[in-house]
Structures are given as C-alpha cells and as structure tokens.
Amino acid sequence: MTREAHAFWLRSPGQGEIRAVRLPDPGRDEVRVRTRYSGVSRGTETLVFAGRVPPDQYAAMRAPFQEGDIPAPVKYGYLNVGVVEEGPDDLLGRTVFCLYPHQTGYVVPASAVVPVPDGVPPARAVLAGTVETAVNALWDAPPLVGDRVTVVGAGMVGCCVAALLARFPGVRVQILDTDPGRARIAEALGVDFAHPDDAAGGRDLVVHASATAAGLQRSLDLLVPEGTVVELSWYGDRPVQVSLGGAFHSGRLTIRGSQVGMVAPARRGSRSYADRLALALDLLADPAFDALITGESRFADLPAVLSRLTSGDLPALCHLITYDGE
C-alpha cells in the first residue's frame, strides 16, 4: 500500500501549491482513504485563499483537519469524497464523505467518515458539507406549511437551501440573484427566480446568502411584520451596513445568525453532528442537486483554479476537483 500523497496548501494569501506528504500507517480505529473528488466551497475557501479572514475569526474558521494556521501557510478545505482502502471491515471498500482538505489520500479516525448512500453518486456527494449548512439553517428557522419564503443569493449555499425548501409542502419559494444566468439553476431546483429589484414581497421567512450588505437590506425589506431573516452569509473582513429604521422595530423583525459549527439549538438534544451530516447525504439522492456542480478540474490544476475562482475569472457554484489518475 502506497504511503505517498499530495496535498494543496495555501503558501501565502493568493498563492497555492501542491506539496508531497507521507501518510502514517492507520491505527486500529482509523481508515486510509483514497480521494476521488473534492469540492471547492467558493465563498469560504476564496476568502481564505485571498487572506480576507479577520484575525478574530481565525479559530472559528478552523476546518476539522486543517494543518497550519490561517492566514498561511495552511492546508484548508472540507468537501472530500473517497474510497476506504484500509480500515474496519464494515468500511473497507466503501465510498465515504469526510470534512478533509484537498489531498490525494489521508488517514483519519473511522468516526470522521460517513458512508455515502448507494443512491448518491460520489461526485454529487461533495455537496454534503454545504447541504449540511442548509439543513442547520432550516433547523434554526423551519418554515410552516404555506409560508412564503425567499432565498437571497443563488450561490452554492443559497441554492442548497432553496432545493430543500422546494420539498416543504405548500411552501412557495423564490430565489433572488443579480446574475440572470442563475435562472436556469433555479428552474432545475424547482423554485421561482427573480432579480432582487423584481422580488415578491410579503415574505414570512427570508434566508440571506448573498454575502452583501445590499442583499441583507433587501432581505429585511421583503419581510411581513414579525418575519425573520436567517443570515447565512460569511463576510470575512468586510464591514456590513443596514438600515434598522423604518419597519425594523415597528414590524418587530428578526435577524437570526446561523452557522454550521454548532447544531441548531432546537435539535441539540436529539441530533449529533454525525446525524446532521448523514441526513445531508441522504437528501443528496435528489438528482436536482447536480445543477450545483458547475465545472470540474484536475487536482494538479487546483492552485490556478482557486486563483481564478477568487478573482471571479472562473464563475462557479461548486467546482469539482477530480483525482483519478493523479
């Protein structure tokens, strides 16, 4: 069994490289995984790549198997799907998801991997970490039957939220984005699409995922009295300004932060992190999620790919990284 692997590292903000690593022998309760696919989480990973994470958030932004420290040098990432080549009999040969960075192979505790259900293609399974974020958001503020719900921002997170909302009975979902090209993705997910200027008002719940102050303001403007905005955006070191005059106080509006680092309070007594991730993988049996994978590249090209994703030269929702033959 080969012990050689290669990993993507951020050498300095804006500069990535591939480094050789040697894997340890797996212990009794560990697995060795050969990576088949990883996904680039465009919002979070491009902020890390560009060095835009504020210092007071370095610890909060730490990925489960990160090496090094933000801002750099650091090995970062958390959407990894591979095959177990060494480990317990019940996992041997299984395709698994792990919150591991971009690396051709790795050794982790067996408890850190979750088997991918047979009905979920391995490439689609890289979305599990983002669907997990969407699950947590809807645990934080679950819609009621018949609610009018808007998602502001048709990026990777926003689209995952919209895809789940489309499953709720009687819930009318509209997703907003300034890019008219996202209308095709909204159609594939089974939700309505509109430019923010043309959005339907009177919304009971708005999920904000555009990572812009204008998007957050628009989210508040769309609410009915006593409505809620669930804030899923991560802004990095950018300041955010919104107007809390007007209807904010008189309408008793709510802005609720949601982040995947904690299980939603309403579920903490009954659901673990593993439960939440397993649920996300089960939900990925829906082929509609394939619309969120908008491009792919070889692992060897990842330094250039992340640079282009960060600059906006390469538009994407989830960009798939392939490893076979590396």
Side-chain angles (χ1 to χ4, degrees), residues 9-13 48 58-59 62 66-76:
W9 278 76
L10 180 62
R11 183 174 68 247
S12 61
V48 173
Y58 288 171
R62 191 171 185 87
Q66 173 182 319
E67 292 184 34
D69 296 300
I70 299 172
V74 63
K75 183 175 75 174
Y76 197 85

Side-chain angles (χ1 to χ4, degrees), residues 68-87:
D69 296 300
I70 299 172
V74 63
K75 183 175 75 174
Y76 197 85
Y78 46 83
L79 302 175
N80 191 299
V81 173
V83 177
V84 175
E85 295 193 324
E86 288 186 76

Side-chain angles (χ1 to χ4, degrees), residues 6-326:
H6 291 85
F8 171 79
W9 278 76
L10 180 62
R11 183 174 68 247
S12 61
Q15 299 292 324
E17 64 184 7
I18 304 297
R19 296 184 182 180
V21 297
R22 184 166 181 82
L23 303 182
D25 292 328
R28 179 179 178 181
D29 297 317
E30 293 183 319
V31 291
R32 183 176 65 84
V33 178
R34 173 178 57 83
T35 303
R36 291 192 60 192
Y37 301 101
S38 62
V40 178
S41 177
R42 186 170 181 266
T44 303
E45 290 194 57
T46 57
L47 284 172
V48 173
F49 186 83
R52 298 294 305 274
V53 178
D56 65 351
Q57 292 299 303
Y58 288 171
M61 287 284 290
R62 191 171 185 87
F65 292 99
Q66 173 182 319
E67 292 184 34
D69 296 300
I70 299 172
V74 63
K75 183 175 75 174
Y76 197 85
Y78 46 83
L79 302 175
N80 191 299
V81 173
V83 177
V84 175
E85 295 193 324
E86 288 186 76
D89 290 343
D90 61 331
L91 289 173
L92 198 60
R94 295 290 303 273
T95 297
V96 295
F97 177 88
C98 185
L99 295 165
Y100 202 88
H102 307 281
Q103 186 165 309
T104 58
Y106 51 93
V107 174
V108 294
S111 59
V113 302
V114 179
V116 174
D118 291 340
V120 178
R124 190 191 304 159
V126 300
L127 295 167
T130 311
V131 174
E132 183 184 14
T133 300
V135 166
N136 212 56
L138 297 180
W139 281 353
D140 274 326
L144 301 176
V145 174
D147 270 359
R148 297 153 296 183
V149 184
T150 293
V151 179
V152 178
M156 191 173 166
V157 172
C159 284
C160 284
V161 173
L164 297 187
L165 284 167
R167 298 164 176 255
F168 280 77
V171 170
R172 289 164 286 178
V173 185
Q174 186 175 70
I175 191 166
L176 312 181
D177 204 277
T178 57
D179 180 359
R182 298 291 166 89
R184 176 186 59 81
I185 295 169
E187 181 180 8
L189 299 177
V191 300
D192 293 335
F193 176 86
H195 187 279
D197 293 342
D198 302 320
R203 313 309 274 180
D204 302 291
L205 173 67
V206 177
V207 179
H208 179 233
S210 80
T212 66
L216 179 56
Q217 185 65 62
R218 190 66 177 125
S219 299
L220 288 167
D221 294 342
L222 296 174
L223 288 175
V224 297
E226 301 200 358
T228 297
V229 171
V230 176
E231 176 59 279
L232 285 180
S233 297
W234 173 246
Y235 298 92
D237 59 1
R238 291 170 293 164
V240 178
Q241 292 184 327
V242 292
S243 173
L244 299 183
F248 182 75
H249 288 288
S250 62
R252 297 176 57 83
L253 306 182
T254 298
I255 302 174
R256 179 164 191 166
S258 179
Q259 54 94 24
V260 77
M262 298 176 65
V263 174
R267 296 293 186 270
R268 285 181 198 161
S270 60
R271 301 294 183 96
S272 67
Y273 294 100
D275 291 334
R276 188 176 63 188
L277 186 53
L279 173 60
L281 283 163
D282 285 340
L283 292 168
L284 281 167
D286 187 343
F289 283 101
D290 287 336
L292 307 189
I293 299 176
T294 53
E296 68 176 62
S297 300
R298 297 171 59 251
F299 170 70
D301 299 326
L302 185 52
V305 166
L306 259 168
S307 179
R308 294 179 63 203
L309 287 170
T310 302
S311 69
D313 179 56
L314 180 61
L317 289 177
C318 179
H319 196 85
L320 190 69
I321 304 302
T322 63
Y323 289 75
D324 287 346
E326 294 291 345

